[in-house]
Amino acid sequence: MDYLANSKSPDSSFLYHPVLPAEVKLEILSFSNNKSHGLYSCPAQVLKYACDIISPVLAEIINISISSEVYPSKLKISKIRAIFISDDETDALNNGPISLLSNFNKMFEKIIYNRMVCFIEQHSILNLSQYGFRQGHSTHHAIIDIVEAIQLNMDRRLFTCGIFIDLKKAFDTVDHKILLDKLYHYGFRGIINEWFESYLADRIQTTQTGSHISD
């Protein structure tokens, strides 16, 4: 909260505009045909064949979800599968878990993500040194920035000290209450903030080994 007190907070709040069937269709057509899908879903190829029929229905479901501030519980169920990485296949530590979510969930998330990015870029919310997960930015830009800083200090006969931090399981350490407070600070207030709280809460998972799926 101390950090947020010194960071930019837009005066205007994020305004949700109803999703159109054309947006849903565009996201469905962007799916890769060979991607695995989770529970309460269907293969991407089937969705593409039926996109003209199903897009208006999905758009209506998304809009109702936002207006009611409730994320569909079926879309919050993830299916965990172990994927072999390397070395001894019988060693459990050599198998990494991946979480598979419904294709409907992926489509839903992407539409909301695109709208959030537009709002964030429009209000210049992100720090200029934020290179990851931004269109037109990459790790190459971060490296160039570091090299320029080192060269500038060399010209000034100064030393440069670099500290590199990698958070283990960074996503798992995110506190949802703090995340919602940050979203509120950055303009995602009211209905959309309540919707995000529903999106984050009461998530469950099942585990699949071979053809067996746990309760």
Side-chain angles (χ1 to χ4, degrees):
M1 298 306 293
D2 290 338
Y3 171 80
L4 290 180
N6 297 308
S7 63
K8 181 179 179 180
S9 179
D11 295 329
S12 60
S13 297
F14 173 81
L15 181 61
Y16 175 79
H17 296 284
V19 173
L20 301 175
E23 293 178 76
V24 175
K25 181 178 179 179
L26 195 63
E27 290 305 327
I28 290 175
L29 293 177
S30 70
F31 283 170
S32 174
N33 288 340
N34 58 2
K35 286 286 186 181
S36 300
H37 56 87
L39 301 171
Y40 300 103
S41 185
C42 64
Q45 202 161 1
V46 175
L47 282 176
K48 289 180 180 180
Y49 284 133
C51 65
D52 287 327
I53 299 171
I54 201 172
S55 292
V57 179
L58 292 175
E60 183 68 14
I61 291 173
I62 293 171
N63 292 328
I64 291 173
S65 172
I66 298 292
S67 62
S68 63
E69 305 171 4
V70 176
Y71 193 75
S73 58
K74 290 290 193 294
L75 301 188
K76 294 195 281 188
I77 303 174
S78 63
K79 182 171 68 175
I80 308 298
R81 295 185 63 185
I83 300 298
F84 174 63
I85 302 171
S86 62
D87 299 328
D88 183 7
E89 193 170 352
T90 61
D91 186 349
L93 296 176
N94 294 330
N95 292 268
I98 62 166
S99 177
L100 299 176
L101 290 162
S102 166
N103 276 334
F104 299 118
N105 173 80
K106 295 174 186 175
M107 178 266 309
F108 204 151
E109 287 180 347
K110 189 64 182 296
I111 288 174
I112 299 300
Y113 167 81
N114 289 338
R115 289 162 182 249
M116 290 180 71
V117 168
C118 288
F119 179 82
I120 288 169
E121 294 293 343
Q122 179 184 350
H123 294 276
S124 303
I125 291 172
L126 294 181
N127 191 291
L128 293 176
S129 296
Q130 172 68 39
Y131 297 104
F133 309 102
R134 295 182 68 187
Q135 189 173 8
H137 296 73
S138 72
T139 52
H140 296 289
H141 293 99
I143 293 171
I144 292 171
D145 198 17
I146 292 171
V147 170
E148 287 183 349
I150 293 172
Q151 290 176 334
L152 182 62
N153 284 341
M154 288 175 66
D155 293 339
R156 296 174 176 174
R157 298 183 179 276
L158 298 173
F159 289 103
T160 301
C161 175
I163 300 174
F164 300 87
I165 301 173
D166 182 21
L167 298 177
K168 185 177 181 181
K169 296 185 177 180
F171 181 81
D172 298 336
T173 66
V174 174
D175 183 289
H176 291 172
K177 178 63 169 62
I178 295 174
L179 178 59
L180 291 168
D181 286 341
K182 291 184 75 173
L183 284 170
Y184 184 91
H185 177 83
Y186 290 125
F188 299 93
R189 308 172 181 119
I191 289 176
I192 196 67
N193 197 280
E194 296 293 331
W195 180 85
F196 270 117
E197 185 174 4
S198 172
Y199 170 85
L200 294 167
D202 302 320
R203 288 188 165 266
I204 59 175
Q205 66 185 38
T206 184
T207 306
Q208 179 175 359
T209 303
S211 59
H212 302 283
I213 300 179
S214 71
D215 294 331

